[in-house]
Amino acid sequence: MLSMLKQSQISPPVADFPAHEAFEYLPGALDRGVILLCDHARADLPSEFGDLGLGPEELKRHIAYDIGARGVTMRVAEMLGAPALMAKYSRLLIDPNRGLDDPTLVMRLSDGAVVPGNRDVDADEIALRIKRFHQPYHDAVDQLIDLCQATPRPVSLVSIHSFTHAWKGRERPWHASILWDSDDRMV
């Protein structure tokens, strides 16, 4: 009987993630062949971290988040009916787009701005931020990949970022860019 139903009548599998302080999940069909990620979606900081010693103008800059990337991610997820994961905290707290051994995992200086709340951060504090924010985001990404790979369609990760027109005082020549690895299945 199921084979007699039109494809549009079959509900595609959708994952359910519990709410978490580290990430926002936008549900979508797991069989769309794509997962959208937005590592720098917000400039938010948990209340106990205050503003990391930065003024409101600094937290509106690209040093805190990828301006516009969250809205783009939400719109593309809606258009494709695809799932998306977005970090809920500023990259200044801990950068989810960095490996655990990266010296810029917790930025002390970003594009000329000193981050006072990170100046004296030690290994214990970094470990706490990893456990509370970085790892849960990456665990959710891994779980979503596993769920999507369980469907017949190959899955691609699309990570959405924005970039500023200037970095460290130098103009950037790009208006947009697409980066990819050597896998050509999406081409």
Side-chain angles (χ1 to χ4, degrees):
M1 171 135 177
L2 188 59
S3 62
M4 295 173 55
L5 294 174
K6 292 182 182 176
Q7 183 64 28
S8 62
Q9 294 173 309
I10 300 171
S11 297
V14 176
D16 186 29
F17 284 85
H20 197 284
E21 69 178 333
F23 61 86
E24 177 179 4
Y25 172 64
L26 300 176
L30 300 175
D31 60 359
R32 289 293 191 255
V34 66
I35 296 169
L36 301 169
L37 302 178
C38 191
D39 299 334
H40 306 137
R42 298 177 177 216
D44 299 351
L45 293 163
S47 59
E48 67 269 26
F49 292 93
D51 55 15
L52 292 176
L54 296 168
E57 290 306 311
E58 293 292 350
L59 293 174
K60 291 178 186 173
R61 290 180 54 209
H62 68 278
I63 64 170
Y65 73 116
D66 283 349
I67 298 165
R70 182 174 184 269
V72 169
T73 303
M74 293 173 72
R75 180 68 178 122
V76 172
E78 178 186 348
M79 289 172 57
L80 297 177
L85 282 166
M86 301 183 291
K88 279 186 170 179
Y89 54 88
S90 172
R91 67 170 137 219
L92 294 174
L93 181 67
I94 188 164
D95 194 332
N97 194 37
R98 299 289 183 265
L100 297 179
D101 60 346
D102 191 315
T104 64
L105 181 63
V106 175
M107 295 292 289
R108 291 169 171 81
L109 175 70
S110 183
D111 197 18
V114 173
V115 184
N118 290 342
R119 180 178 41 232
D120 298 322
V121 73
D122 61 14
D124 290 340
E125 176 62 22
I126 292 172
L128 179 131
R129 293 183 192 188
I130 289 169
K131 181 179 179 181
R132 188 168 161 195
F133 301 102
H134 192 278
Q135 195 61 51
Y137 176 73
H138 285 272
D139 289 347
V141 170
D142 290 345
Q143 183 180 356
L144 189 54
I145 290 170
D146 289 344
L147 291 167
C148 289
Q149 285 183 326
T151 71
R153 194 168 188 183
V155 64
S156 296
L157 289 176
V158 176
S159 185
I160 298 176
H161 295 266
S162 67
F163 53 88
T164 183
H165 68 281
W167 179 252
K168 296 183 180 180
R170 296 184 63 188
E171 290 293 318
R172 290 175 152 179
W174 318 285
H175 295 286
S177 66
I178 297 174
L179 305 173
W180 70 94
D181 203 345
S182 59
D183 190 337
D184 62 359
R185 287 180 290 178
M186 284 186 65
V187 179

